């Protein structure tokens, strides 16, 4: 089997992705952008609330600005990424985000910074972030071999987990240390670094054949030049996801998990602070356990994928995610110290299992998707998975008001268990491992 560009081998044994030049540059770029994204997610609402005295309605609009691009931009991004080289698009998005964030301290210095300005910047940054996120998920299969996807996704997920913990903490600290809007300069530099490292990638495969024998990226670009409608390409991407039984099943289970987790999220915060009467500083420690769990998940994902068949691993991790969420309502039955311990255990186990599940699902989806469909497949998945979250959050608030926080949390946890049930009733449970391309037979003399 031919090795991908930049992959070094000793004999027939892979030396690991840390010595894979293109993956290393992708990882450095993605790590920089992940830290910037998590810092921005903290600094934006702080700017609105502290520096600009935004109203509650304006704060709600700022929060919604993070979800809207996933609904409105994802499918267009998928078509664009399938038609053009993904590396160049990711670099363009990083540069655009750096310049947009640079506009905030400039506007502040000119005394032009306002809540509407911040909303416009947040929305535009969100649009470029959606394209960059879909691109980073789609470019990995074009850089590494299929049997390296779990290792590659694990390393990227490890960076995402670290950025979630450190980036969020740094965002608040830098905002307090610097003069509010000036803190955006740090994120401008981080996005510029991401563009620099991503631009160093040289081995993106072009025109590769997909699993169905169709032409890859070059074929898509020729279709664009021939005037094929972007709407047709978007429809083809949706048709691929809905028509491919395995991809459809994986997208459906991810949608179910995200939907019921979104229902639980607003209810859980009220439940912890009011029903359990846990003080705010302890709530912060409990939420930090989620980041620690994500780190654990990123570390154990690859070993677990070697120990268990892929189908059983997906059923197991999805089941443990639902079971872990039941620990929250259980906390009402124990004393306060034990309740905090239960909550910490819930967040660690839940985050760890979600990360292991996501890494393996992402690797499996990428391996069975033709190269020319990677962008549209990931875009459709992102749109479906993220699009249900604002709906779930609103429904969670209504459900908690109607039946109470405790019953709402139990119902949300039981709803999450629908996902492993779907997996167990599908052919996915019988899959042994992420498939890899078979070497072509040599012609006989």
């Amino acid at each position: 089997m031919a090795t991908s560009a930049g992959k070094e081998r000793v004999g027939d044994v892979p030396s690991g992705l840390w010595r894979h030049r293109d993956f290393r540059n992708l990882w450095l770029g993605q790590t920089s952008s992940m830290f910037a994204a998590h810092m921005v997610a903290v600094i934006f609402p702080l700017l609105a609330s502290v520096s600009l005295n935004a109203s509650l309605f304006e704060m709600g609009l700022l929060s919604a600005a993070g979800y809207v691009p996933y609904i409105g931009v994802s499918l267009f991004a998928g078509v664009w990424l399938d038609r053009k080289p993904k590396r160049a698009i990711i670099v363009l998005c990083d540069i655009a985000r750096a310049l947009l964030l640079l506009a905030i301290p400039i506007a502040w210095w000119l005394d032009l910074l306002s809540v509407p300005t911040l909303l416009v910047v947040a929305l535009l940054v969100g649009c470029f972030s959606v394209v960059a996120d879909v691109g980073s998920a789609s470019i990995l299969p074009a850089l590494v071999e299929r049997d390296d996807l779990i290792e590659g996704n694990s390393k990227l997920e490890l960076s995402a987990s670290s950025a979630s913990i450190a980036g969020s903490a740094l965002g608040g600290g830098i905002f307090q240390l610097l003069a509010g809007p000036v803190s955006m300069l740090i994120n401008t530099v981080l996005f510029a670094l991401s563009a620099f490292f991503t631009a160093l990638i040289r081995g993106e495969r072009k025109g590769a054949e997909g699993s169905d024998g169709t032409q890859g990226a070059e074929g898509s670009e020729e279709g664009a030049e021939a005037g094929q409608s972007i709407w047709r390409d978007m429809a083809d991407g949706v048709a691929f996801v809905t028509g491919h039984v395995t991809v459809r099943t994986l997208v459906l289970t991810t949608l179910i998990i995200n939907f019921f987790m979104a229902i639980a999220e607003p209810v859980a915060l009220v439940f912890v602070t009011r029903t359990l009467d846990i003080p705010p500083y302890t709530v912060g420690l409990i939420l930090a356990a989620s980041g620690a769990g994500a780190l654990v998940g990123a570390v154990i994902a690859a070993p677990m994928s070697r120990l268990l068949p892929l189908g059983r691993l997906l059923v197991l991790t999805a089941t443990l995610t639902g079971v872990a969420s039941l620990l929250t309502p259980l906390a009402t039955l124990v004393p306060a110290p034990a309740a905090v311990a239960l909550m910490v255990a819930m967040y660690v186990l839940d985050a760890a299992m979600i990360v292991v599940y996501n890494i393996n699902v992402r690797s499996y989806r990428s391996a069975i998707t033709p190269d020319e469909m990677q962008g549209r497949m990931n875009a459709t998945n992102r749109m479906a998975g993220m699009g249900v979250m604002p709906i779930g959050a609103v429904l969670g608030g209504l459900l908690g008001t109607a039946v109470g926080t405790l019953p709402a949390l139990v119902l949300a946890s039981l709803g999450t268990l629908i996902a492993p049930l779907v997996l167990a009733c599908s052919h996915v449970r019988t899959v042994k491992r992420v498939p890899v391309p078979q070497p072509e037979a040599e012609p006989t003399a």
Side-chain angles (χ1 to χ4, degrees):
M1 180 173 63
T3 61
S4 57
K7 184 70 172 282
E8 301 176 26
R9 290 179 177 259
V10 180
D12 291 327
V13 181
S15 60
L17 288 181
W18 287 134
R19 297 182 63 183
H20 187 302
R21 182 184 61 252
D22 285 336
F23 175 80
R24 189 169 62 245
N25 286 324
L26 176 67
W27 178 82
L28 287 168
Q30 287 301 299
T31 300
S32 297
S33 67
M34 287 172 188
F35 269 88
H38 282 285
M39 290 170 66
V40 167
V42 172
I43 293 175
F44 264 5
L46 286 175
L47 271 175
S49 178
V50 178
S51 302
L52 301 175
N53 295 316
S55 66
L56 287 174
F57 176 69
E58 289 171 331
M59 292 295 291
L61 289 178
L62 186 62
S63 177
Y67 291 112
V68 170
Y70 281 97
I71 300 172
V73 177
S74 293
L75 293 182
F76 289 98
V79 174
W80 192 25
L81 287 158
D82 282 337
R83 288 184 172 189
K84 302 294 182 182
K86 299 172 180 63
R87 175 185 64 89
I89 294 176
I90 297 172
V91 171
L92 175 64
C93 290
D94 286 335
I95 293 173
R97 288 187 286 182
L99 293 176
L100 284 167
L101 294 180
L102 182 61
I104 290 180
I106 292 175
W108 171 73
W109 183 63
L110 296 174
D111 200 22
L112 297 175
L113 186 61
S114 63
V115 173
T117 303
L118 191 63
L119 281 171
V120 171
V121 173
L123 188 61
L124 290 175
V125 169
C127 290
F128 285 109
S129 295
V130 169
V131 179
D133 289 347
V134 175
S136 63
S138 304
I139 196 175
L140 183 61
L143 299 180
V144 305
E145 302 296 339
R146 290 295 195 262
D147 52 352
D148 289 328
L149 283 173
I150 288 180
E151 181 189 353
N153 280 315
S154 296
K155 285 176 166 54
L156 291 172
E157 193 66 45
L158 186 63
S159 292
S161 303
S162 302
S164 176
I165 300 173
S168 299
L170 284 172
I174 290 174
F175 180 88
Q176 187 169 351
L177 181 64
L178 301 177
V182 180
S183 59
M184 282 299 179
L185 292 174
I186 304 295
N187 304 300
T188 296
V189 173
L190 287 173
F191 279 126
L193 281 175
S194 177
F196 171 75
F197 286 118
T198 306
L200 295 178
I201 295 173
R202 291 291 179 267
E204 180 183 352
R205 291 191 291 271
K206 299 178 182 179
E209 277 196 355
S211 60
D212 57 355
T214 57
Q215 195 174 8
E218 289 179 353
S220 297
E221 193 166 343
E222 288 172 5
E225 292 172 357
Q228 181 171 328
S229 169
I230 190 172
W231 299 101
R232 175 62 184 274
D233 278 356
M234 288 167 55
D236 289 345
V238 174
F240 170 78
V241 170
T242 56
H244 193 300
V245 62
T246 304
V247 176
R248 182 176 69 235
T249 302
L250 297 176
V251 171
L252 176 61
T253 54
T254 300
L255 184 151
I256 291 170
I257 292 173
N258 284 1
F259 178 69
F260 285 103
M261 287 181 68
I263 290 177
E265 186 174 348
V267 181
L269 188 59
V270 173
F271 178 77
V272 169
T273 55
R274 297 179 187 176
T275 304
L276 299 182
D277 198 26
I278 294 177
Y281 68 89
T282 306
V283 173
L285 294 176
I286 291 172
L287 295 177
S290 180
L295 279 174
V296 172
V299 171
I300 66 175
M304 286 187 71
S305 68
R306 290 192 293 267
L307 288 173
L308 293 173
L310 179 63
R312 294 181 184 178
L313 177 60
L314 295 181
V315 173
L316 174 65
T317 50
T319 302
L320 288 177
T321 297
V323 171
S325 60
L326 285 170
L327 294 178
T328 302
L330 187 64
T332 57
L333 305 177
V334 296
V340 172
L342 270 178
M343 295 294 296
V344 169
M346 186 279 289
Y347 274 98
V348 171
L349 180 60
D350 179 76
M353 292 301 99
I354 280 291
V355 167
V356 175
Y357 172 87
N358 283 340
I359 288 173
N360 284 275
V361 164
R362 191 180 305 132
S363 302
Y364 187 25
R365 281 199 320 258
S366 297
I368 61 178
T369 299
D371 287 347
E372 75 275 9
M373 279 287 178
Q374 290 287 341
R376 281 169 285 179
M377 180 276 293
N378 281 298
T380 304
N381 176 68
R382 294 291 176 92
M383 188 188 72
M386 300 299 292
V388 299
M389 295 194 73
I391 300 172
V394 172
L395 183 59
L398 294 174
L399 186 64
T401 303
V403 302
T405 55
L406 183 59
L409 284 174
V410 173
L411 289 173
S413 300
L414 294 176
T416 306
L417 291 172
I418 296 173
L421 184 61
V422 171
L423 288 171
C425 294
S426 73
H427 71 285
V428 174
R429 76 180 187 282
T430 64
V431 177
K432 300 298 183 184
R433 62 185 63 85
V434 172
V436 297
Q438 296 299 318
E440 296 181 3
E442 295 183 4
T444 57

